Amino acid sequence: MKESIRQRLEKLSDRFEEVGRLLATADIAGGSAQFRDLSVEYARLQPLAERLGRYRGLERDLAAARDMLGDPDAGMRSLGAEEVERLQSGLTAAEAQLRSLLIPKDPRDDKSLFLEVRAGTGGDEAALFAGDLFRMYARHAESKGFAVEVLSESPGEHGGYKEIISRIAGRGAYSRLKFESGAHRVQRVPQTEAQGRIHTSACTVAILPEPDEVEAVAINPADLRIDTYRSSGAGGQHVNKTDSAVRITHLPSGIVVECQDERSQHKNRSRAMKLLGARLTAAEEEKQRSAQAHTRRLQVGSGDRSERIRTYNFPQGRVTDHRINLTLYKLAQIMDGDLDELLDALQQEHQAELLSEIEAQ
């Protein structure tokens, strides 16, 4: 184990012991804010401290096994060699677990999210691809037990969507899809192409964590223009006869959000305000990142539309994620929502980058 990693682990373990002593003192009243904060910190550090204790035990056992290698008895030397091999393997696994515990948890990981898919270059084909992307994410979300709610949509002239905005609700939804923001490119032969030529189109995807009420950006009501209009519907007895759809314009930023999913104007307004809060929060975070001039290769959470993150090549049946140079020849399964291999690889790459930063500190 690198000395820098060991020192960091030892420091956190010492803090765990210190917090335990503080919680045991009579000075901190149970139920107080300080008691709750220390209890949360204790619970967070406990897995790391326990694993570090087991790691130290394996180190002691390994030292004893190596001593056996110098024993005059051949049988003891053979037993020592077996123990050394077993314990070294155990130490390697234990170190990997400890290193993973050092990775700071993204406080947004457990949140629900807003998914925005917009057609880019490519006209009708881009709109069709936007529809394909939305179905891909919706199927993946549903396979994980998340709920998918469409907030607003603008259909394409020949199918798909010029734009579709939805909410994916469930614990851990943001953690699962947070690396999907960016430009997605498709290469395929459109149904309207008589010559069989491959066209390239693009869509942009934005993944925005749903902010809590307490952390949402403060919005001055005077900065808002709120318009109501009649939702588009399929007609018949359920046609919307009231102006229940809501469009909110944030005048200082020019950000516009809409919600027309619910028949209740109040519900649509509430959902539109949440989406506006998520957009403003993302814009503020991006502003801070730009000021710091620090851009991760994975563009984590940035929603950077200029970065082409992935190409879907239909003639060759492959998907390539350009950030991690991963190519998978399972396009049909991926478009059907089987994103686990892609998303897991992105998570692992992100964790490796964070660990490299920790080791460099």
Side-chain angles (χ1 to χ4, degrees):
M1 180 184 293
K2 288 187 175 181
E3 187 59 29
S4 60
I5 295 293
R6 180 181 288 275
Q7 289 177 1
R8 186 178 290 265
L9 289 168
E10 296 286 356
K11 184 177 180 179
L12 292 171
S13 180
D14 290 344
R15 174 59 182 169
F16 172 74
E17 299 294 337
E18 179 186 5
V19 172
R21 290 192 295 270
L22 289 171
L23 288 170
T25 65
D27 297 336
I28 300 177
S32 67
Q34 185 181 14
F35 182 85
R36 289 194 299 271
D37 291 344
L38 287 173
S39 297
V40 169
E41 185 178 5
Y42 186 87
R44 179 176 59 83
L45 293 174
Q46 187 172 10
L48 183 146
E50 290 177 350
R51 288 188 183 276
L52 182 58
R54 289 196 288 269
Y55 183 85
R56 290 168 178 158
L58 287 171
E59 285 186 318
R60 291 191 294 270
D61 292 344
L62 180 59
R66 283 173 172 161
D67 288 341
M68 294 171 63
L69 296 178
D71 195 284
D73 183 85
M76 292 297 292
R77 291 197 301 273
S78 177
L79 180 61
E82 293 177 5
E83 280 294 285
V84 166
E85 183 177 357
R86 181 183 69 83
L87 290 167
Q88 283 180 331
S89 177
L91 271 174
T92 300
E95 180 180 345
Q97 292 173 344
L98 281 169
R99 286 159 60 94
S100 68
L101 288 174
L102 281 177
I103 298 174
K105 180 176 174 60
D106 187 338
R108 305 170 300 177
D109 275 352
D110 289 338
K111 296 182 182 298
S112 299
L113 62 91
F114 293 107
L115 165 68
E116 303 180 352
V117 183
R118 294 182 176 85
T121 56
D124 291 338
E125 176 62 14
L128 290 170
F129 182 53
D132 293 339
L133 283 179
F134 173 72
R135 284 188 292 274
M136 177 185 78
Y137 289 125
R139 288 171 179 170
H140 180 75
E142 289 164 355
S143 75
K144 300 301 178 184
F146 303 141
V148 180
E149 310 165 15
V150 175
L151 301 183
S152 67
E153 59 187 270
S154 176
E157 294 181 7
H158 296 90
Y161 301 100
K162 296 176 183 177
E163 173 187 273
I164 182 166
I165 299 173
S166 64
R167 177 176 179 260
I168 296 180
R171 185 177 178 85
Y174 180 72
S175 172
R176 195 64 193 148
L177 293 174
K178 64 181 179 179
F179 299 123
E180 292 303 289
S181 290
H184 296 242
R185 185 177 69 173
V186 62
Q187 295 172 327
R188 64 183 177 187
V189 178
Q191 295 179 358
T192 56
E193 171 56 57
Q195 304 297 323
R197 293 173 298 186
I198 297 174
H199 287 224
T200 298
S201 303
C203 293
T204 59
V205 172
I207 303 292
L208 307 174
E210 183 178 53
D212 296 331
E213 298 294 339
V214 295
E215 68 176 10
V217 172
I219 301 175
N220 185 347
D223 291 336
L224 302 179
R225 185 178 72 236
I226 301 177
D227 302 307
T228 58
Y229 58 98
R230 189 162 298 179
S231 299
S232 58
Q237 62 177 338
H238 298 301
V239 67
N240 195 327
K241 298 182 174 64
T242 62
D243 292 341
S244 61
V246 174
R247 179 185 298 111
I248 300 177
T249 303
H250 184 250
L251 300 174
S253 66
I255 292 176
V256 180
V257 297
E258 298 179 356
C259 187
Q260 56 179 305
D261 186 50
E262 296 286 346
R263 298 183 187 178
S264 162
Q265 184 183 121
H266 177 73
K267 288 183 179 179
N268 280 330
R269 176 169 175 160
S270 175
R271 289 188 176 185
M273 284 297 293
K274 280 192 173 184
L275 177 56
L276 177 60
R279 291 246 191 108
L280 289 172
T281 299
E284 181 61 28
E285 290 175 352
E286 177 61 23
K287 181 180 177 181
Q288 293 174 6
R289 273 190 291 268
S290 298
Q292 296 167 351
H294 178 69
T295 304
R296 289 191 186 280
R297 180 161 57 89
L298 283 182
Q299 303 267 326
V300 177
S302 71
D304 187 345
R305 314 298 199 277
S306 63
E307 176 75 8
R308 184 193 67 192
I309 66 169
R310 192 175 297 148
T311 295
Y312 305 74
N313 186 298
F314 277 71
Q316 298 180 18
R318 63 174 169 82
V319 175
T320 299
D321 195 292
H322 304 289
R323 296 164 294 178
I324 54 176
N325 295 319
L326 174 65
T327 296
L328 299 175
Y329 287 88
K330 48 186 296 186
L331 176 63
Q333 297 95 312
I334 287 171
M335 297 308 297
D336 200 39
D338 182 6
L339 299 175
D340 287 337
E341 191 169 355
L342 267 175
L343 300 182
D344 289 345
L346 288 164
Q347 292 275 6
Q348 292 165 10
E349 180 72 12
H350 176 53
Q351 291 178 355
E353 287 188 356
L354 291 178
L355 276 174
S356 295
E357 288 185 4
I358 290 172
E359 292 175 0
Q361 290 174 0

